[in-house]
Amino acid sequence: MTEVRIIGGALPNIPWEEKPEGHVKPLWRHSSNPVIKRNPAKDIARIFNSAVAPYEGRYIGVFRTETDTTRPHLRLGHSQDGLDWKIEESPIQFQDEAGNPYQPRYAYDPRLVKVEDTYYIIWCTDFYGAAIGVAKTQDFKTFTALENPFLPFNRNGVLFPRKINGNFVMLSRPSDSGHTPFGDVFLSESPDFVYWGKHRHVMSKGGEGWWQNVKIGGGPAPIETSEGWLMFYHGVTGTCNGFVYSMGAVILDLEEPSKVKYRSRNFVLTPEEWYEERGFVPNVVFPCATLQDADTGRIAIYYGAADTYVGVAYTTVQDIVQYVKDTHEEVADDAGIGRL
Amino acid sequence: MTEVRIIGGALPNIPWEEKPEGHVKPLWRHSSNPVIKRNPAKDIARIFNSAVAPYEGRYIGVFRTETDTTRPHLRLGHSQDGLDWKIEESPIQFQDEAGNPYQPRYAYDPRLVKVEDTYYIIWCTDFYGAAIGVAKTQDFKTFTALENPFLPFNRNGVLFPRKINGNFVMLSRPSDSGHTPFGDVFLSESPDFVYWGKHRHVMSKGGEGWWQNVKIGGGPAPIETSEGWLMFYHGVTGTCNGFVYSMGAVILDLEEPSKVKYRSRNFVLTPEEWYEERGFVPNVVFPCATLQDADTGRIAIYYGAADTYVGVAYTTVQDIVQYVKDTHEEVADDAGIGRL
């Protein structure tokens, strides 16, 4: 294979551990996972499914935080090294576009994506049911909630880190009003972050294996590489004792990201460790963010574990892209049938 | 009450029958309903849930047509008087925006709405599940399918008959992938019919009565009146033997149509006649279109009956607006909680 490159900036202080000797899987876990444990700060019971980004030479994060009330909200956190996190004492305070205070009734599974000079937070919000909420900030002091991009019911809104053909591009996973037992990934475009359209189906649950046969959903913002958009996502299977969430990987076409180029038939991470198998929701790995260093090809993946912990896993762009290509399967519904 | 007026054009040849002597309900049925019966033409088993509009001094309709295959598609029909219909022998042939032939895999429950000089067809289409499909025509010869306005799953897309504050406005009813057991009416705006946003919740299932306690959905295009947008809609209740679909009426604010002004606590029509109680889906009245005459205030409502027939009912703007105001109830969720 020709050399695969990350298209993007250098991040020399990316959290990193070398692949363990003899490791044969495409991802390897941080050796002292989970990096955020139970009761990580006063009044916080659990932090998981959270997003991080480089900011001013250090790291900032938007965290899914649950207090002892077990209602999720979002808090900021700060870290020098991306592993040791200090969580703020209060929830993020949003305002609406007129400058009036605005708080979502609940907020969970945030993503944090920088496009041009603005950071966007995308989360699951209450809009007469689960829907995609969005807000923007440039300084992590003022957070302006924007128009909901889509009607309910929807989850797992994921923004691409740059405009494509002049438009913002967002993935989402249309859902129902409960613990949705189905779901594919779609893509939508917007010229202005107010009005969205040109909706396309991207990829389906299913395939040969069972790990993603109930539903799938976007994860971290896709990573631009010389082979296409590398996207980690979650895939869900059902058992007699509930859902099991694994992590998958796919490569989308750079200019037409609703087209799947390569899609691994295998999960790339599945619950194995105690912090993934045990917790509020057992058997969940749920990726929400990555950091990457274009100079070395290193990728650090942040994932929620068992709806209780934050874990970190590592790979390189060379390793994961090769793995996805080697284990590629075509899934019929990914071909764009019924475009309109 | 001050005189209520329809804001719009005259339609002197509107189908019409006077209110029967002693009739106490807000709507009355056409005396020779159903106006379209079973097996109305060669190879057509049933026509129902269809939309009509005045066109060049006569009437034109877009019909939900089912052949003996029981897969719905759309056909044009023509009528001099709005009651006696001649249905075309072939389905409507769509093209995409590049001019290539395009047929939805299925199409049902069309609405037909003229905005400015263009007629828009809105229907339930297959987009990896039920979603809103749209097409436009100016001559009823060329039909151009446009971008799907919303992600799945959605049904009952209803366009307002004029732009409001410069934007197209569409109602819809977010759904799930099956026989949805929930559902409220939302509203979305578009500057260009490509990108949609500023989504608002309009009205909820529920209220004091039971007839609309499972789900509700938009019906005909709202009628502009001096009291607000008069909208007929369907409300659904559940029984041990399945859903029952009735017709309701609501008045929305003219300039902010996501705001409910008056909402009748009562159905205004419910299955009573044999053609409403018996058929492929028993116990359904499902309004999809109206004709109205601003000079007289007369309104003719077209509704599907038992997913088998087309029925017509009549009222006047004075009668129905007075009835909705007299039987108004406030429903808490209609107040716009959680706007963003």
Side-chain angles (χ1 to χ4, degrees):
Chain A
M1 188 167 76
T2 53
E3 195 199 0
V4 187
R5 289 173 298 105
I6 290 171
I7 300 169
L11 190 66
N13 63 335
I14 187 173
W16 185 249
E17 290 180 351
E18 291 295 333
K19 180 166 23 177
E21 194 76 33
H23 186 84
V24 295
K25 299 280 189 168
L27 269 58
W28 53 100
R29 292 170 175 84
H30 182 69
S31 58
S32 51
N33 264 353
V35 299
I36 302 182
K37 300 179 173 57
R38 276 188 187 268
N39 304 302
K42 183 168 178 295
D43 295 329
I44 301 177
R46 291 172 287 121
I47 285 179
F48 55 103
N49 299 4
S50 303
V52 305
Y55 183 66
E56 296 185 341
R58 50 191 173 83
Y59 296 99
I60 201 158
V62 176
F63 291 89
R64 172 172 176 165
T65 310
E66 299 198 8
T67 64
D68 290 359
T69 67
T70 317
R71 174 186 285 244
H73 64 271
L74 304 181
R75 290 198 196 193
L76 284 187
H78 307 272
S79 176
Q80 288 297 327
D81 62 2
L83 297 168
D84 183 27
W85 288 92
K86 180 162 171 43
I87 310 300
E88 292 198 356
E89 291 185 359
S90 306
I92 292 175
Q93 301 296 311
F94 295 95
Q95 61 180 33
D96 65 20
E97 291 177 85
N100 302 310
Y102 167 76
Q103 284 308 103
R105 296 206 312 155
Y106 57 69
Y108 61 83
D109 298 355
R111 274 73 169 182
L112 174 63
V113 185
K114 188 180 184 187
V115 183
E116 297 168 357
D117 60 352
T118 301
Y119 292 84
Y120 293 89
I121 303 171
I122 310 108
W123 71 91
C124 185
T125 202
D126 181 28
F127 183 35
Y128 294 83
I132 309 296
V134 292
K136 66 178 181 181
T137 186
Q138 291 185 315
D139 57 9
F140 290 96
K141 288 174 185 141
T142 301
F143 297 86
T144 304
L146 306 172
E147 290 281 350
N148 293 332
F150 311 123
L151 289 165
F153 303 88
N154 207 323
R155 292 181 174 90
N156 298 301
V158 178
L159 191 62
F160 280 71
R162 68 163 169 87
K163 292 181 181 176
I164 301 174
N165 302 316
N167 279 349
F168 293 98
V169 180
M170 199 186 297
L171 300 165
S172 70
R173 205 278 306 285
S175 302
D176 69 11
S177 56
H179 294 294
T180 312
F182 59 84
D184 291 356
V185 174
F186 288 72
L187 172 157
S188 308
E189 299 185 25
S190 174
D192 53 13
F193 230 89
V194 177
Y195 302 103
W196 295 81
K198 296 189 178 175
H199 310 289
R200 297 288 180 270
H201 182 268
V202 177
M203 53 190 290
S204 292
K205 70 185 176 70
E208 182 187 310
W210 284 8
W211 65 273
Q212 54 183 339
N213 66 351
V214 169
K215 56 182 171 180
I216 57 176
I223 299 169
E224 189 167 6
T225 81
S226 51
E227 288 284 316
W229 293 103
L230 168 63
M231 183 175 79
F232 298 98
Y233 66 99
H234 67 264
V236 181
T237 190
T239 78
C240 57
N241 283 335
F243 287 157
V244 176
Y245 282 70
S246 301
M247 191 189 311
V250 64
I251 297 169
L252 307 175
D253 186 85
L254 274 186
E255 292 309 305
E256 281 192 76
S258 66
K259 289 190 178 166
V260 172
K261 285 183 70 176
Y262 306 102
R263 174 176 176 172
S264 177
R265 82 177 74 90
N266 298 337
F267 56 73
V268 299
L269 198 76
T270 199
E272 293 180 2
E273 299 292 334
W274 65 267
Y275 50 88
E276 297 159 347
E277 294 178 329
R278 288 175 44 195
F280 186 71
V281 182
N283 285 328
V284 176
V285 299
F286 191 95
C288 286
T290 64
L291 299 171
Q292 52 273 346
D293 175 30
D295 284 357
T296 58
R298 292 171 175 173
I299 299 171
I301 305 163
Y302 289 78
Y303 65 98
D307 282 21
T308 304
Y309 308 101
V310 176
V312 172
Y314 302 111
T315 189
T316 68
V317 71
Q318 295 83 5
D319 281 349
I320 189 67
V321 169
Q322 186 67 54
Y323 185 82
V324 173
K325 292 174 89 163
D326 287 348
T327 58
H328 171 63
E329 70 171 336
E330 275 188 40
V331 177
D333 271 0
D334 295 352
I337 300 160
R339 186 192 67 78
L340 273 171
Chain B
M1 188 168 73
T2 54
E3 194 199 1
V4 187
R5 288 174 299 104
I6 290 171
I7 299 171
L11 191 65
N13 64 334
I14 186 173
W16 185 250
E17 290 179 352
E18 291 295 333
K19 180 166 24 179
E21 194 76 32
H23 186 84
V24 295
K25 299 280 188 169
L27 269 57
W28 53 99
R29 292 170 176 83
H30 182 69
S31 57
S32 52
N33 264 354
V35 299
I36 302 181
K37 301 180 171 53
R38 276 189 187 267
N39 304 300
K42 185 167 178 294
D43 294 330
I44 301 177
R46 290 173 288 121
I47 285 180
F48 55 103
N49 299 4
S50 302
V52 305
Y55 183 64
E56 296 185 342
R58 52 193 173 80
Y59 296 99
I60 200 157
V62 176
F63 291 89
R64 172 173 176 164
T65 310
E66 300 198 7
T67 63
D68 291 358
T69 67
T70 317
R71 175 185 284 242
H73 64 271
L74 304 181
R75 289 198 197 195
L76 285 187
H78 306 273
S79 177
Q80 288 297 328
D81 62 2
L83 297 168
D84 183 26
W85 287 92
K86 180 162 171 43
I87 310 301
E88 291 198 356
E89 291 186 0
S90 305
I92 292 175
Q93 300 297 311
F94 295 95
Q95 62 180 32
D96 65 19
E97 291 177 85
N100 302 309
Y102 167 76
Q103 285 307 103
R105 296 207 312 153
Y106 57 69
Y108 61 82
D109 297 356
R111 274 73 169 182
L112 175 62
V113 185
K114 188 179 184 187
V115 183
E116 296 167 359
D117 60 352
T118 301
Y119 293 84
Y120 294 89
I121 303 170
I122 310 107
W123 71 90
C124 185
T125 202
D126 181 28
F127 184 34
Y128 296 83
I132 309 295
V134 291
K136 66 178 179 182
T137 187
Q138 292 186 313
D139 57 10
F140 289 96
K141 288 173 185 143
T142 301
F143 297 87
T144 304
L146 306 172
E147 289 282 350
N148 293 331
F150 312 123
L151 290 164
F153 302 89
N154 206 324
R155 291 180 176 91
N156 298 301
V158 179
L159 191 62
F160 280 71
R162 67 164 170 87
K163 291 181 180 176
I164 301 174
N165 302 315
N167 278 350
F168 293 98
V169 179
M170 199 186 296
L171 301 165
S172 70
R173 205 277 308 284
S175 303
D176 68 10
S177 56
H179 294 293
T180 312
F182 59 82
D184 291 356
V185 174
F186 288 72
L187 172 156
S188 307
E189 298 185 26
S190 174
D192 53 13
F193 230 88
V194 177
Y195 302 103
W196 295 81
K198 296 189 178 174
H199 311 289
R200 298 288 180 269
H201 182 269
V202 177
M203 53 189 291
S204 291
K205 70 184 175 71
E208 182 187 310
W210 282 9
W211 65 274
Q212 54 183 337
N213 67 351
V214 169
K215 57 182 171 179
I216 58 175
I223 300 169
E224 190 167 5
T225 81
S226 51
E227 288 285 316
W229 293 103
L230 167 63
M231 182 174 79
F232 298 98
Y233 66 100
H234 67 263
V236 181
T237 190
T239 78
C240 57
N241 284 336
F243 288 157
V244 176
Y245 282 70
S246 302
M247 192 188 310
V250 63
I251 296 168
L252 308 174
D253 186 84
L254 274 186
E255 292 308 305
E256 281 192 76
S258 67
K259 288 191 178 166
V260 172
K261 285 183 71 177
Y262 305 103
R263 174 177 175 170
S264 177
R265 82 176 73 90
N266 299 337
F267 55 73
V268 298
L269 198 77
T270 200
E272 293 180 3
E273 299 292 335
W274 65 266
Y275 51 87
E276 297 160 348
E277 293 178 329
R278 289 175 44 195
F280 187 71
V281 182
N283 285 327
V284 176
V285 298
F286 192 94
C288 285
T290 64
L291 300 171
Q292 52 273 345
D293 174 30
D295 284 357
T296 58
R298 293 171 175 175
I299 300 172
I301 306 163
Y302 290 78
Y303 64 98
D307 281 22
T308 303
Y309 307 102
V310 175
V312 172
Y314 302 110
T315 188
T316 67
V317 71
Q318 294 83 5
D319 280 350
I320 188 68
V321 169
Q322 186 67 54
Y323 185 84
V324 173
K325 291 174 90 162
D326 287 348
T327 58
H328 171 61
E329 70 171 336
E330 275 188 41
V331 177
D333 271 0
D334 295 352
I337 300 159
R339 188 193 66 78
L340 272 172

